[in-house]
C-alpha cells in the first residue's frame, strides 16, 4: 500500500500531461489514488502525444482538454468547470536544441503560461500549485570535480534559452508565493528516462536509430555527464511533494546515476547487439553544459524519498519497453501520432460540429494532401480542379474552371462550411512568358476573386494559400505574417499578391497562409528533380545564397485542417521547423538521407554537390528571392501545432518516394 491510505478525493489539473513525464505522472496518480479526478491540459505541440494516454482515456476519473496554458480565457474556463485542488505544471517547451533555434516560443510557454496558471489559482483558490522545473537552471559542474553537486542553495546560472525560461518561471512562482501568498512548491529534477520518452531525446533516439541500423549521432566527444532519473521515481517524488512538501520550498530530485553520453550509447549498442561503428560524432551544440549532478538530501530527509531504480536496471527496462512498443515510437517518427487527437475527437459532436469543406486544386501537391487529411478525419470534403477527373482522392469531385462564373454557382449549390483554395498557377518561370501571363492572371487573380466574392456573399470562411514571393526577398530578417511591405519580384508573386488583396477585401472571414519551398507526393518539386539528376550526373551545382525553409504538404495539410475548424482568422506563415537553410544545404541533406536509405548512387563517393551563388548559376526567367525566411511564431501563439522539423519531414518523404521508385 502506498503512503496515503484513506485520502479524500481531490481534483488535480496536470498540464503537459500528454508529454513524457506528465503522462507517466497521470498513470501514477490514477493507479495510486483511484478516487482522484485527473484533468490533463495539453495543447499537443510536437512532443505532446495523445495516443500515449490511450490506456486511461476511458477512465471515468480522467478528462483530457486540448488548450494552451497561455490562453487565459480557456484556462479560466477550465478552472470554473473543475475547481481543482492541486495544479501540477509540466507544460513546457523543453528541447534545448529547439530553444536555440527559436527562443521566443519557449519564453511564451514557459514563463507567460506559468503566470496564467498562477493567476487562475489566485482567482479560483488552490491547495497547492506545483512547478516542475529542471536542474539545468543551475548551469553545469566541472568534469574534474565529482565531489560537487547541485543543492537547493546553488545559485541559478543558466546556459540556454530553455534553462533561462525555466529559471524565470521558478522565480516567478516564488514571487507569487511571497507577494500573494500562493501555496507553491517547486521540484528540480535531473534527466529523466523511461517509457513514453519522445524519440527526439538521447536515449529513445539512440534506441530507435540502433534498431534501424542508422547512425547514432553523439555531440562532441560524448563526454557530457548527466544524472539519470527513472521517470517512475520522479513521479513518486512529485506525489510526495504535492501532498507533504512544505509550501514555498524547492526540492531537488536526483537519481545518483551519473553517466556520460557516450557510455549510454555504448550500453544501448551492447543491449541491442549493435556495433559501436554506428556511433558518429557531430559538432557540439552551442552552450552545451558539461555535467549535471543533484544532491537529493533535502527531499530524502524531509519526505523520505530516494530513487529506487539503478541505471543499470532502468536502462534495461527502458530498452525492453521500446522493443515491446515499437508501434508507439514508429508512429511518432512517421508523424502519424499528430493525427490521434483528430481520430479521438474529430467526429464527436460535443467537440466540433460536422463540417463540409470545398477544396480547389486537388490535382496538385497540397490539394491532394488536404483532401486526404479531411477524409482521414471524417470531415465531408468536395474536391475540384480543371482536370477532367482526379482518381487519387476518395471524395466527390467536380471538374471546374474557377476563372468563370461556374464557381459561384457551385458554391451556392454546395453551401460548404469552409473553402480551402489551393488552386494556382505555380510554374514560376513559365509565368514570365508573354503568351502565358494572361492565363496566370486569370487563375491566380480572377479565379481567386470569384471564390472570395462568393465566400463573402455567403459568409463562408475562406483559406487562401499564398507565398513568400509577395515580398521582395531581400535582407535576412524573417518576414512576419502581418508585414505589408509587398514588393513581388516576378509575375507569379504579383498575381499571388493580387489574390491576397482580393481575399482580404472580399471574403468576410479568411485565412491567408504563406508557404515556401513546397514538396509533396502528388507532383513535381525540387526533391524529385534532385533525385532524377543525381542519377545521371556525378557533379551538381546548387545555389547557396537563397535562404528559406522547406514545406512538406503532408504536414502542412494537417495544420490547415486544424485551422479551418477554428475562427482564428488572419495571416499566417507556415513551413516545417528546423531552422533556415540554403537550397545547397537542402540538396546535400536530400542526397545524404537517400544514401542512408540504401541508395548508394547518391552518396559522396558517387555524387558531388558544389555551392554557387545565384549570379554564378545564371539567371532564371523569374527573379528568385534571396530571403524566403518566414516567421512562423503566430502558429504557436494561436495554439496550433507547428510543423515537424524539415529533416524529419524529408526522411518520411524520401521513404515514400524511393519506395515508389523501387516498386
Amino acid at each position: 500500500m502506498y503512503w496515503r491510505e484513506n485520502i479524500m478525493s481531490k481534483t488535480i489539473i496536470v498540464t503537459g500531461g500528454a508529454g513524457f513525464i506528465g503522462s507517466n505522472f497521470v498513470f501514477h496518480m490514477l493507479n495510486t489514488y483511484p478516487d482522484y479526478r485527473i484533468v490533463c491540459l495539453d495543447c499537443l505541440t510536437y512532443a505532446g502525444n495523445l495516443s500515449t494516454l490511450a490506456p486511461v482515456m476511458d477512465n471515468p476519473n480522467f478528462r483530457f482538454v486540448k488548450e494552451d496554458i497561455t490562453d487565459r480565457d480557456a484556462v479560466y474556463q477550465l478552472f470554473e468547470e473543475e475547481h481543482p485542488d492541486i495544479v501540477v505544471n509540466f507544460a513546457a517547451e523543453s528541447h534545448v536544441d529547439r530553444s536555440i533555434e527559436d527562443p521566443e516560443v519557449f519564453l511564451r510557454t514557459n514563463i507567460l503560461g506559468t503566470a496564467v496558471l498562477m493567476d487562475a489559482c489566485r482567482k479560483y483558490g488552490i491547495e497547492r500549485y506545483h512547478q516542475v522545473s529542471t536542474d539545468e537552471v543551475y548551469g553545469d559542474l566541472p568534469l574534474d570535480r565529482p565531489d560537487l553537486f547541485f543543492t537547493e542553495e546553488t545559485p541559478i546560472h543558466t546556459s540556454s534559452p530553455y534553462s533561462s525560461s525555466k529559471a524565470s518561471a521558478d522565480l516567478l512562482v516564488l514571487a507569487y508565493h511571497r507577494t500573494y501568498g500562493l501555496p507553491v512548491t517547486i521540484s528540480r529534477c535531473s534527466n529523466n528516462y523511461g517509457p513514453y520518452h519522445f524519440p527526439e531525446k538521447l536515449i529513445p533516439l539512440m534506441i530507435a536509430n540502433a534498431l534501424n541500423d542508422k547512425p547514432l549521432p553523439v555531440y562532441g566527444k560524448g563526454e557530457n555527464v548527466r544524472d539519470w532519473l527513472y521517470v517512475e521515481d520522479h513521479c513518486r517524488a512529485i506525489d510526495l511533494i504535492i501532498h507533504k512538501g512544505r509550501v514555498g520550498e524547492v526540492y531537488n530530485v536526483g537519481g545518483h546515476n551519473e553517466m556520460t553520453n557516450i557510455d549510454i550509447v555504448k550500453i544501448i549498442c551492447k543491449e541491442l547487439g549493435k556495433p559501436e561503428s554506428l556511433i558518429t560524432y557531430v559538432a557540439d551544440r552551442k552552450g552545451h553544459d558539461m555535467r549535471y549532478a543533484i544532491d537529493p538530501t533535502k527531499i530524502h530527509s524531509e519526505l523520505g524519498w530516494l530513487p529506487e531504480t539503478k541505471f543499470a536496471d532502468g536502462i534495461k527496462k527502458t530498452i525492453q519497453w521500446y522493443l515491446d512498443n515499437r508501434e508507439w515510437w514508429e508512429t511518432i517518427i512517421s508523424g502519424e501520432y499528430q493525427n490521434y487527437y483528430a481520430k479521438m475527437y474529430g467526429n464527436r459532436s460535443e467537440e466540433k460540429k460536422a463540417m463540409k469543406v470545398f477544396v480547389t486544386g486537388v490535382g496538385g501537391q497540397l490539394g491532394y494532401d488536404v483532401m486526404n487529411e479531411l477524409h482521414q478525419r471524417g470531415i465531408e470534403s468536395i474536391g475540384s480542379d480543371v482536370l477532367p477527373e482526379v482518381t487519387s482522392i476518395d471524395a466527390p469531385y467536380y471538374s471546374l474552371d474557377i476563372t468563370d462564373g461556374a464557381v459561384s454557382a457551385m458554391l451556392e449549390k454546395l453551401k460548404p462550411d469552409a473553402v480551402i483554395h489551393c488552386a494556382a498557377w505555380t510554374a514560376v518561370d513559365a509565368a514570365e512568358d508573354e503568351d502565358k501571363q494572361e492565363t496566370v492572371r486569370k487563375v491566380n487573380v480572377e479565379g481567386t476573386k470569384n471564390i472570395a466574392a462568393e465566400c463573402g456573399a455567403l459568409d463562408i470562411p475562406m483559406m487562401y494559400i499564398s507565398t513568400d514571393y509577395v515580398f521582395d526577398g531581400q535582407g535576412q530578417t524573417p518576414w512576419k505574417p502581418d508585414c505589408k511591405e509587398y514588393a513581388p519580384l516576378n509575375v507569379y508573386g504579383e498575381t499571388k499578391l493580387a489574390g491576397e488583396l482580393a481575399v482580404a477585401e472580399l471574403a468576410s472571414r479568411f485565412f491567408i497562409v504563406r508557404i515556401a519551398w513546397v514538396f509533396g507526393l502528388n507532383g513535381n518539386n525540387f526533391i524529385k528533380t534532385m533525385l532524377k539528376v543525381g542519377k545521371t550526373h556525378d557533379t551538381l551545382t546548387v545555389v547557396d545564397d537563397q535562404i528559406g525553409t522547406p514545406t512538406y504538404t503532408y504536414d502542412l495539410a494537417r495544420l490547415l485542417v486544424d485551422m479551418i475548424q477554428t475562427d482564428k482568422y488572419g495571416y499566417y506563415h507556415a513551413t516545417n521547423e528546423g531552422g533556415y537553410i540554403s537550397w545547397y544545404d537542402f540538396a546535400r541533406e536530400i542526397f545524404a538521407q537517400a544514401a542512408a536509405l540504401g541508395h548508394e548512387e547518391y552518396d559522396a563517393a558517387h555524387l558531388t554537390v558544389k555551392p554557387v551563388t545565384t549570379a554564378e548559376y545564371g539567371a532564371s526567367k523569374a527573379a528568385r528571392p534571396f530571403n524566403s525566411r518566414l516567421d512562423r511564431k503566430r502558429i504557436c501563439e494561436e495554439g496550433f501545432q507547428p510543423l515537424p522539423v524539415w529533416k524529419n519531414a524529408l526522411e518520411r518523404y524520401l521513404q515514400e518516394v524511393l519506395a515508389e521508385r523501387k516498386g
Side-chain angles (χ1 to χ4, degrees), residues 31 55-56 215 218 238 264 337 346 353 355 397 453 455 527 559 594 617:
N31 289 333
V56 298
V218 176
I238 296 173
I264 287 175
Y337 78 103
K353 97 175 180 64
M355 287 189 74
Y397 173 78
C455 284
I527 300 174
L559 172 64
Y617 187 81

Side-chain angles (χ1 to χ4, degrees), residues 127-185:
E127 289 182 15
R128 180 67 58 90
Y129 172 88
H130 183 75
Q131 180 78 1
V132 182
S133 187
T134 170
D135 59 356
E136 294 189 44
V137 302
Y138 298 123
D140 63 350
L141 298 167
L143 294 177
D144 60 355
R145 290 293 306 277
D147 58 311
L148 295 179
F149 297 89
F150 297 138
T151 73
E152 289 80 1
E153 305 305 317
T154 301
I156 287 174
H157 187 69
T158 59
S159 304
S160 68
Y162 161 64
S163 58
S164 297
S165 68
K166 292 297 289 184
S168 299
D170 287 2
L171 294 173
L172 192 63
V173 169
L174 294 174
Y176 268 64
H177 170 62
R178 178 165 180 172
T179 304
Y180 305 112
L182 193 70
V184 307
T185 44

Side-chain angles (χ1 to χ4, degrees), residues 448-502:
T448 301
K449 282 184 177 179
N450 290 339
I451 296 171
E454 195 63 28
C455 284
L458 299 175
D459 194 26
I460 299 171
M462 177 180 177
M463 177 174 284
Y464 175 70
I465 311 304
S466 190
T467 170
D468 66 295
Y469 278 57
V470 302
F471 305 117
D472 66 9
Q474 304 303 303
Q476 296 182 349
T477 304
W479 302 104
K480 294 186 178 298
D482 293 328
C483 177
K484 298 296 191 291
E485 297 174 8
Y486 306 123
L489 301 173
N490 51 46
V491 172
Y492 169 68
E494 291 171 4
T495 57
K496 291 299 290 183
L497 173 60
E500 279 195 18
L501 297 175

Side-chain angles (χ1 to χ4, degrees), residues 3-59:
W3 63 272
R4 294 209 28 135
E5 295 186 16
N6 299 312
I7 194 161
M8 293 178 59
S9 177
K10 295 183 183 294
T11 296
I12 301 181
I13 290 180
V14 180
T15 69
F20 166 44
I21 307 174
S23 61
N24 276 278
F25 183 73
V26 168
F27 299 148
H28 167 83
M29 296 302 289
L30 287 171
N31 289 333
T32 306
Y33 306 101
D35 294 332
Y36 274 27
R37 177 169 172 80
I38 305 298
V39 180
C40 173
L41 174 64
D42 201 303
C43 68
L44 300 180
T45 59
Y46 76 95
N49 182 1
L50 188 59
S51 66
T52 299
L53 296 170
V56 298
M57 293 299 284
D58 293 328
N59 188 318

Side-chain angles (χ1 to χ4, degrees), residues 27 32 73 155-156 182 209 222 266 271 347 373 391-392 400 406 442 454 461 467 470 501 511 536 559 565 628 634 655:
F27 299 148
T32 306
D73 291 341
I156 287 174
L182 193 70
N209 278 16
K266 289 180 178 180
E271 289 291 327
N347 295 323
E373 182 66 22
T391 59
S392 57
L400 181 68
K442 276 187 175 181
E454 195 63 28
T467 170
V470 302
L501 297 175
F511 299 87
T536 58
L559 172 64
Q565 298 178 86
S628 293
R634 192 181 179 198
Q655 288 173 344

